[in-house]
Amino acid sequence: GINAEYGGFICPGNAMEDYLGNPTVRTALGVALDADFFSADNGNGFVYNTSMQNVLPIYQRALAKGIRVMMFNGDTDPAINSFVTQELYLNRLFKNDERAEVWRAWGDGSKAYGAGYVETLKNIPFTFLTVRGAGHQIPEYKPYYSMVYMKKWIYNQPFPKTMI
């Protein structure tokens, strides 16, 4: 079972495929037992092929020209994990760059809990932002907070802090 194979956790390895491939789970979800599962959700008859393995060169070119870049992730996104993105960009690419803001909660200013976390660099126009409880298509999961962060980004305003 999943618990024995992954030491009680369902996160590592092929846990999602194992879980969604389980006949009991499929039955409970109303998914046909012979249905194909593809984690990127290609949809019916849609074939998805990546056009670029790494978008880092695009960001580097933009930053070299002084163009502001914001990378954002839903923190429950199974396709592009926010911890992996944070590690790749903040902890590797920009590891020697001074921070203007270090991993702080952001929100809309009206609630004690945050909508996610944000980190900005001091001398490079790069922002990394997460949205709490959002999957890959952030506006689908958190439309209000998507509007908040996009509006702040477009008008070059600071992301609101939580009430705490």
Side-chain angles (χ1 to χ4, degrees):
I2 291 174
N3 285 339
E5 186 174 348
Y6 299 119
F9 296 98
I10 61 169
C11 303
N14 295 323
M16 183 171 65
E17 288 84 1
D18 291 349
Y19 178 75
L20 294 174
N22 182 308
T24 304
V25 172
R26 285 182 175 230
T27 300
L29 294 174
V31 175
L33 295 178
D34 62 347
D36 289 327
F37 174 75
F38 179 70
S39 63
D41 189 17
N42 274 347
N44 187 17
F46 178 76
V47 178
Y48 177 80
N49 295 305
T50 57
S51 58
M52 196 169 216
Q53 291 296 323
N54 181 0
V55 295
L56 183 56
I58 295 170
Y59 298 135
Q60 288 174 314
R61 283 193 303 271
L63 291 167
K65 293 179 181 183
I67 298 171
R68 292 185 310 133
V69 172
M70 177 174 62
M71 173 159 273
F72 49 92
N73 271 109
D75 69 2
T76 60
D77 182 348
I80 302 173
N81 183 288
S82 62
F83 294 114
V84 172
T85 306
Q86 179 186 7
E87 173 65 24
L88 178 64
Y89 292 94
L90 294 176
N91 299 340
R92 291 187 189 176
L93 181 63
F94 300 119
K95 70 180 178 181
N96 296 320
D97 295 295
E98 190 176 351
R99 289 355 189 210
E101 294 182 294
V102 178
W103 200 245
R104 72 153 174 93
W106 72 276
D108 66 357
S110 70
K111 296 180 177 71
Y113 60 86
Y117 290 89
V118 63
E119 187 160 335
T120 57
L121 301 180
K122 187 172 184 179
N123 300 313
I124 298 172
F126 181 84
T127 299
F128 178 73
L129 180 134
T130 66
V131 180
R132 177 189 237 167
H136 191 65
Q137 300 292 334
I138 296 173
E140 177 183 358
Y141 296 96
K142 298 291 181 177
Y144 172 74
Y145 286 117
S146 295
M147 184 267 309
V148 170
Y149 76 75
M150 288 306 295
K151 186 175 180 181
K152 295 298 180 184
W153 175 254
I154 289 168
Y155 291 107
N156 201 19
Q157 298 172 341
F159 298 99
K161 296 183 178 183
T162 61
M163 291 176 61
I164 295 176

